[in-house]
């Protein structure tokens, strides 16, 4: 029987008569039903968050840290159950699901140690002035389907640490693990501080425009990010937007082909390519192009595509039918244009599950859709380049600016290239390394503001300056 899941509002698990089905992308079976909330449930959640904000915002930061550490511990203690559920709803292989769950626990624990101290601006004979950080209020958190637990925790933790309360909406495609987590932390967090409600995409704009919400923190597509910015503008809500990317990975001619092939593969195909910072365009210097592209394709042949719940699976299904159809459309376009494939490209439309074979394209042109658009699936275009200047220009020819990577033994040359890339993060000789203490955010249309680190935390606060005139004539 399909398991029903409930929402967390004001410290209680609640159900609704309207529900939505959640499908396992590997089997296409319904594995859970969740509440389909509308305005009434949202109003209830916002009211609970507003009430809780009165006391939570005045709770000493040490107590707020302790609550976050308890959330971190709860996630870790229940990692076995949570990661299995995550694989079932999201599709990622078990070892990647456990990575997400343990990663979320570690991120929460580490971020609980961040400080929000006052800063002294001036301490002179005339006055003392300091900036304190006050919480913005009730936060609306909106989460995508690729890393549902990590993204949810990444919104809950800075909200709570800064003294805000939160109403969080998971993606309708992947709400189950977050709702199980809601059940587990129900008695760990003070009632109303964390509220988790589920609904269709249409619940999103209701959150964005709700007058009782003071800030939106959103991770998802650039198209939705623009709508959120528009909705939030009505009452000037604060916003943090982590959006799409079309990250370029640049491999210089001195890179060791055997050593980088496997790393390049996983930088594109982890989570079936459904990562904002996946390498979505791989530029290889012409001197090593043939050798490296062959090595990547050879390695790719050793990786099994299948149900993430099965032992040995390296690449799971695409998470949902809409995304599956989009990836298939991009592959079909590449075929129609006559581009060359090193591997894959043939999707079985009659099969069960949203499986796309590992697909590698051989030097498609820069204006190919698979190069110019964010594919968000297990498809990797490899392109040849000749000079640093040329590859920098090609990498920057995008509206996105999330991240990128350079692979080289000459790290000075790597840094010179990195400094000319128009992205929020550039990794040299590694990929996707995110730290709880380092800000992460996109340039151009990849985002607005930052998450992680002190900079991410400050986005949940207003600065308030208090100035005291000394020896005043009053
Ligand atoms: P999406 O924008 O379709 O949906 C994200 C969330 O927004 C979901 O919860 C959805 O229900 C909600 N939503 C949909 N329409 C809305 C609206 N009009 N107003 C408010 N909320 C609305 O994104 P997705 O398909 O779930 O995720 C994939 C995208 O997310 C990719 O572009 C990927 O690059 C991006 N992403 C970015 C980061 C990052 O940190 N920069 C991380 C992960 C994913």
């Amino acid at each position: 029987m399909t398991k029903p899941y409930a929402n967390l509002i004001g410290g209680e698990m609640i159900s609704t008569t309207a529900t939505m089905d959640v499908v396992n992308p590997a089997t296409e079976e319904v594995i859970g039903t969740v509440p389909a909330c509308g305005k009434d449930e949202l109003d209830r959640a916002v009211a609970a968050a507003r009430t809780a904000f009165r006391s939570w915002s005045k709770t000493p930061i040490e107590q707020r840290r302790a609550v976050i550490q308890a959330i971190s511990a709860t996630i870790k203690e229940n990692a076995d159950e949570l990661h299995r559920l995550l694989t079932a709803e999201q599709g990622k292989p078990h070892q990647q699901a456990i990575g997400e769950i343990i990663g979320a626990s570690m991120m929460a624990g580490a971020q609980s140690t961040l400080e929000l101290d006052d800063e002294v601006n001036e301490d002179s004979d005339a006055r003392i002035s300091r900036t304190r950080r006050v919480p913005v209020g009730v936060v609306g958190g909106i989460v995508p389907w690729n890393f549902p637990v990590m993204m949810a925790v990444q919104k809950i933790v800075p909200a709570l640490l800064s003294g805000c309360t939160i109403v969080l909406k998971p993606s309708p495609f992947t709400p189950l693990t977050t709702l199980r987590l809601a059940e587990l932390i129900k008695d760990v967090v003070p009632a109303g501080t964390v509220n988790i409600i589920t609904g269709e995409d249409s619940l999103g704009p209701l959150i964005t425009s709700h007058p009782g919400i003071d800030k939106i923190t959103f991770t998802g597509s650039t198209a939705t990010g623009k709508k959120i910015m528009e909705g939030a503008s009505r009452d000037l809500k604060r916003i943090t937007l982590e959006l799409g990317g079309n990250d370029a990975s640049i491999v210089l001619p001195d890179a060791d082909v055997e050593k980088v092939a496997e790393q390049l593969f996983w930088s594109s195909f982890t989570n079936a390519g459904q990562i904002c910072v996946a390498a979505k365009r791989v530029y290889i210097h012409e001197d090593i192009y043939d050798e490296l592209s062959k090595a990547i394709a050879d390695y790719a042949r050793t990786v099994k595509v299948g149900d993430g719940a099965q032992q040995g699976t390296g690449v799971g299904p695409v998470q949902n039918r809409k995304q599956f159809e989009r990836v298939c459309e991009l592959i079909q376009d590449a075929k129609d244009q006559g581009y060359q494939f090193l591997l894959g490209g043939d999707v079985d439309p009659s099969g069960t599950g949203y499986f796309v074979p590992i697909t590698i394209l051989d030097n498609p042109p820069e204006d190919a859709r698979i190069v110019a658009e964010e594919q968000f699936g297990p498809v990797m275009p490899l392109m040849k380049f000749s000079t640093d200047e040329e590859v920098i220009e090609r990498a920057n020819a995008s509206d996105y600016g999330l991240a990128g990577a350079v692979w080289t033994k000459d790290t000075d040359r790597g840094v010179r290239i990195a400094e000319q890339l128009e992205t929020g993060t550039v990794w040299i000789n590694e990929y996707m390394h995110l730290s709880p203490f380092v800000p992460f955010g996109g340039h151009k249309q990849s985002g607005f503001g930052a998450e992680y680190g002190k900079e991410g935390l400050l986005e949940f606060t207003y600065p308030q300056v208090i100035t005291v005139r000394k020896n005043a004539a009053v």
Side-chain angles (χ1 to χ4, degrees):
M1 209 184 87
T2 309
K3 187 174 170 205
Y5 288 75
N7 283 182
L8 175 60
I9 298 182
E12 285 173 31
M13 299 308 292
I14 66 118
S15 303
T16 53
T17 38
T19 58
M20 313 182 299
D21 289 343
V22 179
V23 168
N24 178 327
T27 62
E28 296 185 53
E29 285 165 4
V30 175
I31 53 169
T33 59
V34 301
C37 293
K39 188 177 174 310
D40 290 350
E41 292 82 10
L42 174 61
D43 284 346
R44 249 178 93 181
V46 173
R50 290 227 77 84
T51 303
F53 179 70
R54 282 189 218 127
S55 53
W56 183 250
S57 56
K58 295 184 180 63
T59 301
I61 193 163
E62 292 312 325
Q63 282 179 38
R64 303 202 300 250
R65 283 192 218 290
V67 167
I68 295 165
Q69 283 155 9
I71 295 174
S72 165
T74 304
I75 298 171
K76 195 170 168 194
E77 280 156 22
N78 293 280
D80 189 57
E81 177 194 347
L82 291 172
H83 95 274
R84 287 176 200 286
L85 186 55
L86 180 58
T87 292
E89 68 170 337
Q90 204 283 334
K92 65 186 61 177
H94 275 320
Q95 82 273 16
Q96 292 174 31
I98 195 84
E100 178 173 347
I101 299 294
I102 293 297
S105 165
M106 283 168 55
M107 281 283 190
Q111 284 177 327
S112 74
T113 64
L114 289 169
E115 298 290 348
L116 267 181
D117 295 339
D118 292 3
E119 273 178 40
V120 175
N121 309 309
E122 180 183 339
D123 189 0
S124 64
D125 291 344
R127 67 184 59 79
I128 180 157
S129 164
R130 69 187 165 95
T131 303
R132 60 193 288 267
R133 288 284 168 173
V134 295
V136 292
V138 173
V139 173
I142 304 178
V143 173
W145 45 257
N146 61 342
F147 280 82
V149 178
M150 181 61 102
M151 302 290 157
V153 169
Q154 201 43 52
K155 301 197 176 335
I156 292 170
V157 165
L160 291 184
L161 186 60
S162 62
C164 295
T165 56
I166 187 164
V167 175
L168 184 104
K169 186 190 94 60
S171 165
F173 293 115
T174 53
L176 301 185
T177 319
T178 313
L179 291 183
R180 178 66 186 125
L181 181 61
E183 213 176 342
L184 292 166
I185 63 169
K186 178 173 84 68
D187 300 321
V188 169
V189 298
T193 54
V194 178
N195 305 274
I196 302 183
I197 60 172
T198 46
E200 303 285 359
D201 282 353
S202 54
L203 181 60
L206 299 180
I207 295 176
T208 312
S209 59
H210 199 291
I213 292 181
D214 305 289
K215 173 191 168 68
I216 301 291
T217 171
F218 168 78
T219 303
S221 63
T222 295
T224 307
K226 289 179 185 177
K227 290 184 197 154
I228 286 179
M229 199 168 198
E230 203 181 325
S233 72
R234 280 176 223 145
D235 46 9
L236 281 185
K237 284 185 178 59
R238 272 42 188 171
I239 49 172
T240 304
L241 304 176
E242 293 293 352
L243 308 177
N246 196 7
D247 294 6
S249 224
I250 298 170
V251 193
L252 299 185
D254 64 356
D256 184 313
V257 166
E258 287 310 316
K259 288 187 181 145
V260 298
E262 186 175 336
Q263 298 180 73
L264 281 169
F265 175 86
W266 288 113
S267 72
S268 283
F269 289 98
T270 302
N271 203 29
Q274 303 161 116
I275 307 189
C276 53
V277 289
K280 294 177 184 140
R281 300 176 286 159
V282 178
Y283 294 96
I284 303 173
H285 193 274
E286 59 189 0
D287 289 356
I288 56 167
Y289 181 86
D290 291 344
E291 201 189 343
L292 180 54
S293 55
K294 182 180 177 306
I296 295 171
D298 286 348
Y299 179 77
R301 285 189 191 90
T302 68
V303 177
K304 186 180 148 202
V305 177
D307 185 338
Q310 281 168 11
Q311 189 103 25
T313 295
V315 173
V318 169
Q319 200 283 322
N320 57 74
R321 176 157 289 283
K322 191 170 148 226
Q323 185 62 22
F324 172 73
E325 285 170 357
R326 176 172 158 72
V327 175
C328 291
E329 183 189 310
L330 289 173
I331 293 175
Q332 189 56 47
D333 176 74
K335 284 184 167 174
D336 293 346
Q337 301 297 326
Y339 305 146
Q340 298 301 304
F341 288 71
L342 282 168
L343 196 69
D346 292 319
V347 185
D348 175 7
S350 61
T352 302
Y354 311 137
F355 293 103
V356 174
I358 292 168
T359 297
I360 302 177
L361 277 114
D362 183 10
N363 204 25
E366 207 58 36
D367 63 354
R369 285 188 62 195
I370 196 66
V371 180
E373 298 178 23
E374 182 189 35
Q375 66 273 45
F376 222 62
V379 187
M380 180 194 218
L382 304 179
M383 277 89 64
K384 242 180 241 189
F385 75 92
S386 311
T387 67
D388 292 3
E389 294 67 33
E390 171 212 337
V391 77
I392 291 165
E393 198 176 319
R394 288 167 72 182
N396 286 339
S398 170
D399 289 336
Y400 292 115
L402 194 56
V406 185
W407 302 85
T408 177
K409 289 192 182 72
D410 182 350
T411 49
D412 289 343
R413 182 174 169 192
V415 170
R416 279 198 300 279
I417 292 175
E419 286 176 350
Q420 294 176 76
L421 294 179
E422 298 163 354
T423 63
T425 301
V426 186
W427 290 284
I428 297 178
N429 298 333
E430 65 173 356
Y431 216 78
M432 295 183 199
H433 172 71
L434 296 179
S435 156
F437 305 115
V438 177
F440 169 73
H443 292 191
K444 302 197 275 190
Q445 295 191 24
S446 283
F448 198 91
E451 285 192 307
Y452 299 91
K454 181 82 180 260
E455 211 166 320
L457 180 62
L458 293 183
E459 299 228 348
F460 290 76
T461 67
Y462 292 126
Q464 185 192 38
V465 178
I466 298 185
T467 303
V468 180
R469 176 79 199 189
K470 291 181 182 169
N471 309 315
V474 285

